[in-house]
Amino acid sequence: MTGHIYRDVILEQHVRLFRGTMGAEFLFMDDNARPHRANIVDECLQSEDITRMDWPAYSPDLNPIEHVWDMLGRRIAARQPPPTCLPELRRTLLDEWCKIRLII
């Protein structure tokens, strides 16, 4: 992923709309991945008046989605038989994703 893709696909198509729904109190949380810190991303967030949460360096355990990705990976790895092609992997990922119950 690049900063351009992150901006075009994630920020403009999802985060901007979600921020509009949430209002002025919205606080955006991402991590220190290189695409997330690109100048083009900073410019986009500033232009949309989106406040970014401060994030300590090298702290993936603080990001709740990392725990979800780990759980999803473990579930896929435990599948017998495992997915053998991309369409099957996609279906399996979607199936396991839908089974995850998040406590918010």
Side-chain angles (χ1 to χ4, degrees), residues 7-23 26 28 44-45 47-50:
R7 181 201 60 189
D8 295 347
V9 176
I10 304 300
L11 298 181
E12 291 185 355
Q13 292 183 25
H14 301 286
V15 174
R16 184 173 54 86
L17 297 174
F18 188 67
R19 190 254 187 227
T21 311
M22 297 299 293
F26 178 73
F28 181 58
C44 177
L45 293 173
S47 73
E48 296 292 334
D49 196 29
I50 295 174

Side-chain angles (χ1 to χ4, degrees), residues 4-104:
H4 287 278
I5 293 171
Y6 183 66
R7 181 201 60 189
D8 295 347
V9 176
I10 304 300
L11 298 181
E12 291 185 355
Q13 292 183 25
H14 301 286
V15 174
R16 184 173 54 86
L17 297 174
F18 188 67
R19 190 254 187 227
T21 311
M22 297 299 293
E25 298 300 314
F26 178 73
L27 182 63
F28 181 58
M29 182 179 83
D30 60 3
D31 57 23
N32 290 320
R34 187 171 296 207
H36 301 173
R37 298 299 177 205
N39 289 335
I40 194 165
V41 170
D42 291 337
E43 292 166 5
C44 177
L45 293 173
Q46 288 175 0
S47 73
E48 296 292 334
D49 196 29
I50 295 174
T51 303
R52 179 189 274 159
M53 176 187 276
D54 290 330
W55 199 257
Y58 305 108
S59 57
D61 57 315
L62 294 178
N63 190 342
I65 196 66
E66 296 301 332
H67 300 285
V68 176
W69 296 141
D70 180 61
M71 180 181 5
L72 189 60
R74 289 173 189 270
R75 289 180 178 195
I76 298 300
R79 284 277 187 126
Q80 291 301 324
T84 58
C85 62
L86 286 177
E88 188 178 342
L89 176 60
R90 184 180 193 285
R91 285 190 303 272
T92 304
L93 284 167
L94 289 171
D95 180 50
E96 291 296 339
W97 180 264
C98 290
K99 292 178 184 176
I100 295 174
R101 300 204 51 153
L102 300 178
I103 300 172
I104 299 175

